[in-house]
Amino acid sequence: MRISIEVLEKIANECGSFEIGDGYTYGELTLRFGYWRKVNLETLQNLIPQHLEVKLNLVDEDDDCGVLYNYIITPRGVA
């Protein structure tokens, strides 16, 4: 899966700084914003190419760190 640098720049401008990671299965990418913060899912989805889909993922929740989120990007139609 490829995402252009121009798309990544748009994401950073709209949603803030982020880290890119490997997904949990082949063909996925993950994005983590700041310290695992939540961003607007619709905004993020509108910034990436239409053949890709973004899913909000609750990574962890505890009393010390609070709620931790990342975003999984997959080709559309992949479960």
Side-chain angles (χ1 to χ4, degrees):
M1 167 182 358
R2 294 182 181 184
I3 299 177
S4 71
I5 189 68
E6 291 83 10
V7 170
L8 296 175
E9 287 173 342
K10 287 179 186 178
I11 292 170
N13 289 335
E14 288 288 326
C15 301
S17 64
F18 60 91
E19 292 182 5
I20 301 172
D22 290 335
Y24 300 102
T25 61
Y26 180 77
E28 291 181 344
L29 292 175
T30 61
L31 298 181
R32 184 187 91 186
F33 293 89
Y35 186 73
W36 303 94
R37 70 181 173 81
K38 191 174 184 179
V39 299
N40 186 297
L41 183 60
E42 185 176 342
T43 298
L44 185 55
Q45 181 66 61
N46 289 332
L47 293 169
I48 65 168
Q50 292 182 356
H51 69 278
L52 301 175
E53 181 175 20
V54 179
K55 298 174 188 166
L56 174 64
N57 182 46
L58 173 64
V59 176
D60 196 12
E61 181 176 6
D62 65 30
D63 292 335
D64 293 330
C65 297
V67 183
L68 309 177
Y69 296 101
N70 71 359
Y71 295 81
I72 301 171
I73 300 176
T74 59
R76 221 173 255 289
V78 175

